[in-house]
Amino acid sequence: LGDVYKRQAMDRLNEVLDFNPIDRSVTLGAGMITQHLQDFASSKDLLYPVDFASTGSSQIGGNIATNAGGINVIRYGMTRDWVIGLKVVTGAGDILDFNQGLLKNNTGYDFRHLFIGSEGTLGLICEATLQLTRPQADTTVMVLGIETFPAIVDVLQAFSAQIDLSAFEFFSQAALDKVTERQGHPKPFTTQTPFYALLEFETTPLALDAAMALFEHCVEQGWVLDGVVSQSLAQARALWRLREDISETLWHWQPYKNDISVRVSKMPDFLREVDQLVAARYPDFEVVWYGHIGDGNLHLNILKPPGLTQSDFFERCGPVSLEIGEMLARYGGSVS
């Protein structure tokens, strides 16, 4: 009930309070839905680039409190990178203003960053001033079928060395199967591969030529088995649905979720260890992987079998989280 009350209380703090086209900044209530902010920015020929599957329901205050990242993180960073001012209320009832929209402010400590990612433990975020940027040009989307998880990192390294990527996402064959079966989306190509990578970049002749050459290079190296490149905006959106609809689709299986981060260079070894751990502890459970390779963020989803109650399922899954946490500590990672 507490969570519902807080959500209802913030729902009314949903208005744009100030907009400055020169500074490209907007001040708004923390209860504004992310999509509404993106729509407002678009109406001003600007962009709020933090984006993820829940933009239609998530609120800006929650995004700031969790330092949300999402699908554009490889180019645009986290929510933290776009917050230039905060107004918060502490547990003692004090109203605090942080940074006041300045791009450079070296006077004293920047307490704004303590509240970003604090998950409500330090106070309530009531208002935020956010930086906007120029709109992104038309983009091209590629989906590549990849043989092994280590090869995903090889592909990322090859493409990011020559192309300014705005997104680099991954998902497993199991994730693709669930989405296409449940949502009715067409598969990107007929070849089945253990993993898939989704890349996005601005559509320019140089970038397209480089992408095709890099695709051929990755095939020659044995990293990539098949691929498709969008030929229209509609096809690009359809390819994105394969990734963006995974979370919504998996909720039909009441998954036990782990949201974990490791350095990109350590991801192949970490994933292999986690896969071995989960297979040993839960051989009868189905595991689905997806995530943001660009910032090393992995989503581990263990799906509930139909014969188990949710409470029994969660009780069985709990111990693996402790072991994953110990493993993360060895890899210098993080858990959310």
Side-chain angles (χ1 to χ4, degrees), residues 19-243:
F19 168 69
N20 191 307
I22 298 176
D23 296 329
R24 290 182 178 177
S25 67
V26 58
T27 301
L28 42 80
M32 176 171 282
I33 298 296
T34 310
Q35 182 66 59
H36 297 171
L37 168 59
Q38 293 173 336
D39 293 342
F40 174 82
S42 178
S43 73
K44 304 297 183 181
D45 295 323
L46 293 169
L47 172 71
Y48 180 66
V50 181
D51 196 13
F52 32 76
S54 60
T55 51
S57 59
S58 66
Q59 296 179 343
I60 293 299
N63 297 347
I64 295 171
T66 57
N67 190 27
I71 58 178
N72 289 333
V73 68
I74 192 172
R75 176 172 180 180
Y76 292 108
M78 313 289 285
T79 296
R80 181 185 304 279
D81 300 303
W82 298 91
V83 178
I84 55 176
L86 281 181
K87 179 177 284 187
V88 305
V89 178
T90 69
D94 296 320
I95 299 176
L96 306 177
D97 277 301
F98 297 135
N99 200 57
Q100 299 179 335
L102 295 173
L103 294 181
K104 180 178 181 180
N105 182 3
N106 292 339
T107 305
Y109 301 110
D110 193 344
F111 290 108
R112 159 186 50 150
H113 290 293
L114 288 178
F115 278 80
I116 300 171
S118 66
E119 300 194 1
T121 58
L122 300 179
L124 290 176
I125 297 169
C126 297
E127 293 179 11
T129 301
L130 302 173
Q131 188 72 63
L132 305 178
T133 189
R134 67 173 180 83
Q136 190 176 33
D138 291 340
T139 58
T140 295
V141 175
M142 296 183 74
V143 173
L144 306 176
I146 297 183
E147 176 69 17
T148 66
F149 192 84
I152 298 177
V153 179
D154 292 327
V155 172
L156 170 61
Q157 186 175 12
F159 272 82
S160 60
Q162 297 190 38
I163 299 176
D164 291 328
L165 298 174
S166 56
F168 193 99
E169 302 285 305
F170 98 103
F171 46 94
S172 64
Q173 179 68 53
L176 179 64
D177 289 341
K178 298 295 184 188
V179 168
T180 54
E181 292 168 7
R182 191 85 192 188
Q183 304 289 349
H185 301 324
K187 293 187 176 181
F189 35 76
T190 57
T191 306
Q192 289 198 356
T193 60
F195 297 101
Y196 297 83
L198 183 148
L199 300 75
E200 183 183 66
F201 52 89
E202 288 193 2
T203 306
T204 66
L206 285 177
L208 286 171
D209 289 344
M212 296 312 299
L214 287 164
F215 170 75
E216 293 177 3
H217 170 73
C218 291
V219 171
E220 291 171 358
Q221 297 299 315
W223 302 334
V224 171
L225 302 179
D226 207 341
V228 62
V229 58
S230 62
Q231 301 297 318
S232 65
L233 180 60
Q235 188 179 14
R237 289 174 175 168
L239 291 174
W240 262 116
R241 293 259 64 87
L242 299 176
R243 167 62 184 86

Side-chain angles (χ1 to χ4, degrees), residues 29 34 48 262 264-265 280 286 300 328:
T34 310
Y48 180 66
V262 294
V264 174
S265 59
E286 186 176 8
L300 166 63
L328 277 167

Side-chain angles (χ1 to χ4, degrees), residues 51-53 68-71 73 78 149 169-172 175 195 243-244 246-247 250 255-262 267 270-271 274-275 286-293 295-303 324 334-336:
D51 196 13
F52 32 76
I71 58 178
V73 68
M78 313 289 285
F149 192 84
E169 302 285 305
F170 98 103
F171 46 94
S172 64
F195 297 101
R243 167 62 184 86
E244 291 183 330
I246 293 174
S247 182
L250 293 185
Y256 188 92
K257 305 172 73 71
N258 289 89
D259 191 350
I260 50 187
S261 295
V262 294
M267 290 178 71
F270 176 78
L271 181 64
V274 175
D275 260 342
E286 186 176 8
V287 176
V288 177
W289 286 97
Y290 68 97
H292 317 293
I293 292 294
D295 66 341
N297 184 204
L298 300 166
H299 301 308
L300 166 63
N301 295 262
I302 305 172
L303 306 190
I324 290 175
S334 177
V335 62
S336 173

